[in-house]
Amino acid sequence: MENHASLAPAARLLGYAGLLPLTGAAAGMVLLPMHRAPLLEAGFGYAALIFSFLGGLWWGQGVARGKASPELFAVAVLPSLIAWGLMLLRLFGWTVQDVLPALGAAILLSPIVDLRLARAQPCLPGWIALRLQLSTGLGALTLALALL
């Protein structure tokens, strides 16, 4: 596994800080059960937002490479489309517990794209390790919200 030596400390610190909203939502659900519904909604919204952000990251990597395949751009729009589809399901009556597992699973699988991108062109040492940790954390927290 890669080390984090060449990543800026702010990248690591702020990356891990990105887990705080879902950690707070989960803790709030345990400590303040009367606020369970809004905390679930906020957790879903945050996880969907971050998942969409990952697609933007992949899009930007494709543009920066200048000769990325059309498939990369197609994959890059999938997180936003998946998040949007899950939000539509919420509007049509699906519960947060119905959609959170799909969102959590998608987040957990998202590093596959980063691994394929890294194979095609080297990335900063430590980047893949950080992506795996953050996606595992965010995906696991998203699944945990569904179970609380």
Side-chain angles (χ1 to χ4, degrees), residues 4 6-18 124 126-127 130-131 134:
H4 293 272
S6 65
L7 287 179
R12 287 190 305 278
L13 178 64
L14 294 172
Y16 295 128
L124 282 174
W127 170 246
L130 182 62
R131 276 287 295 117
L134 294 176

Side-chain angles (χ1 to χ4, degrees), residues 33-49:
M34 69 290 263
H35 298 295
R36 182 178 187 282
L39 288 167
L40 267 174
E41 293 293 345
F44 168 73
Y46 181 77
L49 177 74

Side-chain angles (χ1 to χ4, degrees), residues 1 22 48 56 71 121 142:
M1 177 99 16
L22 282 186
E71 292 82 19
Q121 181 175 341
T142 302

Side-chain angles (χ1 to χ4, degrees), residues 61-145:
Q61 287 178 339
V63 170
R65 290 173 184 208
K67 57 179 180 177
S69 70
E71 292 82 19
L72 173 57
F73 294 111
V75 168
V77 299
L78 285 178
S80 295
L81 294 175
I82 290 168
W84 178 73
L86 293 173
M87 286 188 271
L88 278 179
L89 291 175
R90 290 284 300 121
L91 292 173
F92 286 111
W94 290 44
T95 68
V96 180
Q97 287 87 1
D98 292 335
V99 297
L100 276 172
L103 183 56
I107 293 168
L108 286 170
L109 292 171
S110 69
I112 293 171
V113 175
D114 296 286
L115 291 169
R116 294 201 64 182
L117 286 170
R119 249 188 251 129
Q121 181 175 341
C123 55
L124 282 174
W127 170 246
I128 295 298
L130 182 62
R131 276 287 295 117
L132 288 169
Q133 292 165 11
L134 294 176
S135 290
T136 299
L138 190 70
L141 284 165
T142 302
L143 293 173
L145 285 181

